Amino acid sequence: MIQRPDSLLIVDDDPMNLDLMNRRLVKRGYEIHCAGDGHEALDWLNSHETDLVLLDVEMPDIDGLEVLKRLRRAYTQAQLPIIMVTGKAGSEDIVAALEAGANDYVTKPLDYPVVLARIQTQLSRKHAEEALRESEERYALAARGVNDGLWDWDLTGNKMYFSPRWKSMLGWQEHEIGDDPDEWFRRIHPDDVDRVRADIAAHLEEQTPHYEDEYRILHRDGNYLWMLGRGLAVRNRIGKASRMAGSQTDITRGKVVDVLTGLPNRVLFMDRLARSFERARRRKDKTFALIFLDLDSFKLINDSLGHMIGDQVLVAIAGRLEGTVRSSDSVARLGRNHTIARLGGDEFTILLEEISGATDAMRVAERISSDLANPFLVGGQELFPSASIGIAIYNPTYQNPEELLRDADTAMYSAKALGKGRYEVFDANMRANATARLQMETEFRRAIERREFENYYQVIVSLETGRICGFEALVRWNNSARGIVSPGEFITMAEETGLIVPLGQWVLETACQQMRIWQARFSDDPPLTINVNLSSRHFLQSNILQQCRAILHETQLSHSSLNLEVTESAMMPDPEAAIDLMIQLKDLGVKIALDDFGTGYSSLSYLHRFPLDSLKIDRSFISRIIEDDEIVRTIIALARNLGLKVIAEGVETVDQVGKLLDLGCEFGQGYYFSVPVNAQEATDLLAAGQHDNATLSAARANYSSILNPITPLARHF
């Protein structure tokens, strides 16, 4: 049998260092894998076998010492040797690393012969340890550690000795397990037993130097444990195996526990879900529920505050979920045999056993939503990470556990689509909606590639003169099968998939190009301006400043002609970062408008710090301004005190225009002046005479039959 080369993982944020070390170590016959940061390294080790890790100390977000500490929770020094790489000549990093469980260290600049020697030393120790575990005598195996279960198989008489520890690992007393080899094989998981038998047979036939396997074995309590089985045959003079001795090591934690949170991972959760599934099939009077939880806007936390803060949030969420579920009245009444797991990323699942119906699961979901509403203090900041929750209740129509998980996931997406921070119970209509959503997402991705979009433009008017001062760009999707698709049908999907970023860039570029054309044709003083909305993802991405600079340069549009509209909700997750970005945009000459004012956080403590140029009053306040003008009056007064212009959205009647003028509002936007129109129709409006308010009113009547009134969500583009 050809032995596999030793597998090494190199972790370093410097691509040049990775490349040099990779090439040198590959030449020595090692199998090399590289990771550019600590998160990538942890993800790799969670799903791949590695013989040794070469780990840089100084890395962004999560440094090498923190990665080392997390790995030592899952692996001993013998199981996974770790050599730290430090650029500091002092002893501080070295001492800290050794205290945290490092096997060895090297310093930069790297002396590669020294590095190779230390790698070889650690691998030799590791292999010596493995050889000891593979000793032909069970007593030699016992010297490796008393926590292992030992077995000794008399192949001639087909009798097997199981040590007391082997039996107790599975929850049995000494006298309750006999000497038949089937005491072992019949407890191995059905999906693993054939492989175990085949690997043992291969060793007995001298196809492998030793036996080694990972398998699941049934505990007395009904749970499956993960075991590492090792063994070595004792052979007679002619090479025939007469006996085989070995050990069984419990590796459940390393196999089924999420390294970050300590919760069960996907492997363990799916195993328990399968057992619940089978139990419910046998007991027709019982059912169970699966709760699927996904954090809302978690990517924004990672993007704005960094992955280290994001990891801390996930750990805090896990702790709060455990406290919530364990203390839930519904769960306490039903018993505590429930599983909370992290599937990956920001996805968590909860398995509620033996519930009476959906009401029990809904009570738990309500409790979770309530507890998550309380702020999390992470990294010195208060965060409010809400969650969308889906619930699926088992019934006999389900064919397998994966279907139940799928439906809980579908219900979660339904909750997210209905406004986030809530729960939904799965029903059959959701599956049809999910299928339709998947189809739309596929079409939307193709639309991004094919640029099947068109900007529509809604006039912004001086209320005093009736003059068109500018436009707001509002994107539409020209789908060959669906026709004109309003943003209300695709913006949420674009946000969730991240496609909002390339779409937003296209909207910005196209709108700036069009405004430059209008300015060249219609010379106004002051010049026409263009308003473009930025989503939270687009606004806080690292290169938005560079994008704006490049687009303005390419289109030759005056920087002061661009107004970027952002919402309060886009800025409040990380106000300081938002303020810093807005200052840089202002330095570029771009104007900033706060959209939908009054519907978000309305944090006055931050409002005076935001470097804004204008406020846009949300249409919900304008719609009732005749009956109650107090809120609009207050906003206008606040804006005046802050030196900001005010734009009223959703203006639809002449009475609203009169009231806004009385209150001192400068600008208006809405159906009274014009519905959103395409570029050519907007050009016609400009050509007809910008100072003729009657022209705008006529246009309103002409275009009102073209497009239905748009929803507040649709106005985001």
Side-chain angles (χ1 to χ4, degrees):
M1 178 181 176
I2 299 175
Q3 296 291 313
R4 70 170 180 84
D6 287 315
S7 174
L8 275 60
L9 175 65
I10 307 172
V11 189
D12 197 314
D13 63 326
D14 187 330
M16 184 176 294
N17 287 345
L18 284 176
D19 182 62
L20 288 172
M21 294 178 69
N22 180 35
R23 287 190 284 111
R24 289 178 179 250
L25 293 173
V26 166
K27 288 181 180 180
R28 293 292 181 134
Y30 296 113
E31 180 180 298
I32 304 300
H33 304 280
C34 298
D37 59 53
H39 298 284
E40 187 180 351
L42 291 171
D43 288 343
W44 173 267
L45 291 167
N46 206 27
S47 56
H48 296 82
E49 282 190 21
T50 301
D51 294 305
L52 183 142
V53 178
L54 206 61
L55 178 61
D56 191 26
V57 173
E58 297 184 11
M59 293 187 294
D61 273 350
I62 173 173
D63 62 24
L65 290 176
E66 179 62 23
V67 175
L68 171 64
K69 292 173 185 177
R70 295 186 187 181
L71 291 177
R72 282 293 171 252
R73 297 171 193 162
Y75 306 95
T76 67
Q77 288 180 305
Q79 292 171 330
L80 183 64
I82 300 174
I83 299 176
M84 305 300 293
V85 181
T86 178
K88 297 181 181 179
S91 62
E92 184 177 335
D93 278 353
I94 297 170
V95 172
L98 294 175
E99 288 179 346
N103 294 68
D104 204 345
Y105 70 93
V106 292
T107 57
K108 296 179 180 178
L110 295 178
D111 186 335
Y112 284 97
V114 172
V115 173
L116 287 169
R118 297 198 171 189
I119 290 173
Q120 291 166 359
T121 297
Q122 292 302 323
L123 289 174
S124 296
R125 291 176 179 174
K126 176 181 172 68
H127 297 326
E129 179 73 10
E130 292 171 348
L132 180 61
R133 291 195 295 265
E134 297 163 358
S135 168
E136 65 182 27
E137 298 291 340
R138 68 171 183 255
Y139 298 108
L141 286 165
R144 191 183 61 84
V146 296
N147 288 326
D148 287 354
L150 308 178
W151 50 268
D152 194 345
W153 192 356
D154 178 3
L155 298 170
T156 304
N158 199 31
K159 300 291 184 182
M160 184 170 276
Y161 164 82
F162 299 100
S163 72
R165 176 57 183 159
W166 192 98
K167 299 173 184 178
S168 67
M169 290 170 73
L170 304 182
W172 299 95
Q173 300 293 321
E174 170 73 18
H175 66 279
E176 293 178 309
I177 291 182
D179 59 2
D180 190 327
D182 198 46
E183 296 276 15
W184 181 20
F185 294 118
R186 67 180 176 84
R187 290 179 168 85
I188 297 177
H189 194 283
D191 292 345
D192 300 336
V193 66
D194 288 344
R195 186 190 69 252
V196 171
R197 288 184 178 275
D199 289 344
I200 289 174
H203 174 58
L204 294 176
E205 295 168 6
E206 297 188 86
Q207 297 176 15
T208 59
H210 60 271
Y211 160 73
E212 184 170 319
D213 238 325
E214 292 181 4
Y215 54 86
R216 289 159 290 178
I217 192 166
L218 187 64
H219 191 274
R220 189 172 192 167
D221 65 6
N223 292 307
Y224 278 97
L225 304 178
W226 276 95
M227 297 290 178
L228 173 62
R230 296 184 177 96
L232 192 68
V234 180
R235 304 181 185 276
N236 58 24
R237 292 182 179 179
I238 61 173
K240 184 179 180 180
S242 60
R243 176 181 163 210
M244 186 173 177
S247 66
Q248 179 171 267
T249 306
D250 190 341
I251 59 168
T252 303
R253 181 170 180 80
K255 291 290 290 186
V256 302
V257 174
D258 177 58
V259 175
L260 177 64
T261 64
L263 294 177
N265 63 10
R266 179 183 288 271
V267 173
L268 179 55
F269 181 79
M270 293 304 298
D271 179 69
R272 292 186 178 175
L273 178 59
R275 289 193 293 107
S276 296
F277 202 89
E278 292 303 317
R279 198 160 41 244
R281 284 192 163 184
R282 293 194 302 269
R283 298 183 61 185
K284 306 298 184 183
D285 60 326
K286 298 293 184 181
T287 189
F288 66 95
L290 198 164
I291 295 177
F292 197 112
L293 182 150
D294 182 271
L295 299 183
D296 299 322
S297 304
F298 181 71
K299 188 177 186 300
L300 183 60
I301 294 176
N302 275 338
D303 291 347
S304 58
L305 303 180
H307 286 278
M308 182 173 291
I309 296 295
D311 284 352
Q312 293 178 33
V313 170
L314 292 174
V315 172
I317 292 285
R320 193 166 293 184
L321 285 177
E322 286 189 293
T324 300
V325 174
R326 304 304 181 201
S327 63
S328 168
D329 294 337
S330 297
V331 173
R333 177 172 55 81
L334 297 168
R336 297 186 179 272
N337 189 25
H338 310 288
T339 301
I340 306 167
R342 180 187 176 217
L343 296 194
D346 60 345
E347 294 179 342
F348 296 84
T349 50
I350 302 167
L351 187 60
L352 298 178
E353 302 279 9
E354 297 188 359
I355 64 172
S356 58
T359 302
D360 290 328
M362 291 164 66
R363 289 197 189 104
V364 175
E366 288 170 358
R367 180 71 176 270
I368 290 171
S369 294
S370 176
D371 284 1
L372 290 183
N374 297 318
F376 290 76
L377 186 62
V378 180
Q381 300 192 58
E382 271 195 341
L383 300 175
F384 297 83
S386 65
S388 297
I389 301 172
I391 302 171
I393 310 298
Y394 169 83
N395 66 67
T397 63
Y398 284 106
Q399 298 300 307
N400 54 65
E402 287 75 18
E403 290 181 356
L404 190 68
L405 182 63
R406 175 203 63 197
D407 287 352
D409 186 34
T410 299
M412 180 275 294
Y413 273 109
S414 178
K416 199 174 284 289
L418 291 170
K420 303 180 180 179
R422 56 182 292 156
Y423 71 86
E424 289 292 321
V425 180
F426 176 80
D427 63 50
N429 291 330
M430 291 181 182
R431 191 176 298 151
N433 294 337
T435 301
R437 182 183 180 278
L438 180 61
Q439 177 63 30
M440 176 170 280
E441 183 179 327
T442 301
E443 293 178 15
F444 190 78
R445 289 183 180 276
R446 291 172 181 159
I448 291 286
E449 297 171 359
R450 300 168 182 173
R451 299 205 167 190
E452 297 176 354
F453 297 94
E454 181 180 2
N455 275 347
Y456 273 52
Y457 301 90
Q458 189 171 37
V459 295
I460 298 173
V461 176
S462 167
L463 296 181
E464 185 69 33
T465 65
R467 174 182 173 272
I468 299 176
C469 300
F471 293 88
E472 180 179 353
L474 303 157
V475 72
R476 299 290 187 268
W477 176 12
N478 288 326
N479 183 275
S480 57
R482 303 172 187 267
I484 298 291
V485 183
S486 76
E489 298 183 59
F490 63 80
I491 286 297
T492 299
M493 176 187 62
E495 287 272 8
E496 292 173 354
T497 59
L499 295 173
I500 196 71
V501 173
L503 177 62
Q505 183 176 353
W506 180 88
V507 170
L508 178 61
E509 183 177 355
T510 304
C512 288
Q513 289 173 345
Q514 184 60 59
M515 179 50 65
R516 185 69 184 91
I517 293 171
W518 283 330
Q519 288 184 345
R521 180 174 174 181
F522 305 100
S523 55
D524 290 74
D525 187 20
L528 294 166
T529 59
I530 187 70
N531 285 36
V532 179
N533 287 270
L534 294 181
S535 73
S536 58
R537 285 199 177 189
H538 199 196
F539 177 62
L540 289 178
Q541 71 170 7
S542 60
N543 63 340
I544 183 62
L545 184 67
Q546 290 76 12
Q547 282 185 16
C548 286
R549 185 181 287 111
I551 289 171
L552 290 169
H553 176 75
E554 182 180 342
T555 61
Q556 293 299 296
L557 181 68
S558 169
H559 295 196
S560 60
S561 297
L562 175 61
N563 292 297
L564 296 178
E565 296 189 13
V566 295
T567 62
E568 296 170 88
S569 58
M571 296 185 290
M572 291 310 295
D574 190 359
E576 298 302 327
I579 290 170
D580 183 62
L581 177 57
M582 285 191 289
I583 290 173
Q584 294 181 70
L585 288 167
K586 292 277 287 182
D587 290 342
L588 186 63
V590 173
K591 307 293 186 184
I592 307 291
L594 185 58
D595 195 17
D596 298 343
F597 184 74
T599 63
Y601 293 85
S602 299
S603 176
L604 298 182
S605 63
Y606 280 106
L607 186 59
H608 78 280
R609 297 179 57 198
F610 290 147
L612 302 171
D613 295 281
S614 58
L615 295 180
K616 300 191 75 175
I617 306 176
D618 186 72
R619 66 174 50 232
S620 62
F621 302 119
I622 304 302
S623 66
R624 54 181 186 266
I625 191 174
I626 304 302
E627 296 79 19
D628 182 5
D629 64 7
E630 191 60 36
I631 293 177
V632 176
R633 183 187 301 273
T634 302
I635 293 174
I636 292 173
L638 174 64
R640 186 178 293 117
N641 289 334
L642 294 173
L644 306 177
K645 297 178 180 178
V646 180
I647 305 167
E649 298 181 296
V651 181
E652 297 183 354
T653 70
V654 67
D655 290 339
Q656 291 171 350
V657 173
K659 176 62 73 172
L660 288 166
L661 282 169
D662 289 342
L663 295 175
C665 184
E666 302 151 283
F667 303 95
Q669 178 182 349
Y671 288 0
Y672 178 76
F673 307 107
S674 174
V675 299
V677 296
N678 62 32
Q680 183 56 56
E681 293 165 335
T683 302
D684 293 342
L685 287 177
L686 291 169
Q690 298 183 52
H691 300 281
D692 186 0
N693 195 44
T695 300
L696 290 172
S697 296
R700 175 177 62 90
N702 292 336
Y703 295 135
S704 61
S705 62
I706 299 175
L707 295 173
N708 293 324
I710 54 179
T711 64
L713 178 61
R715 291 164 37 253
H716 284 182
F717 277 107

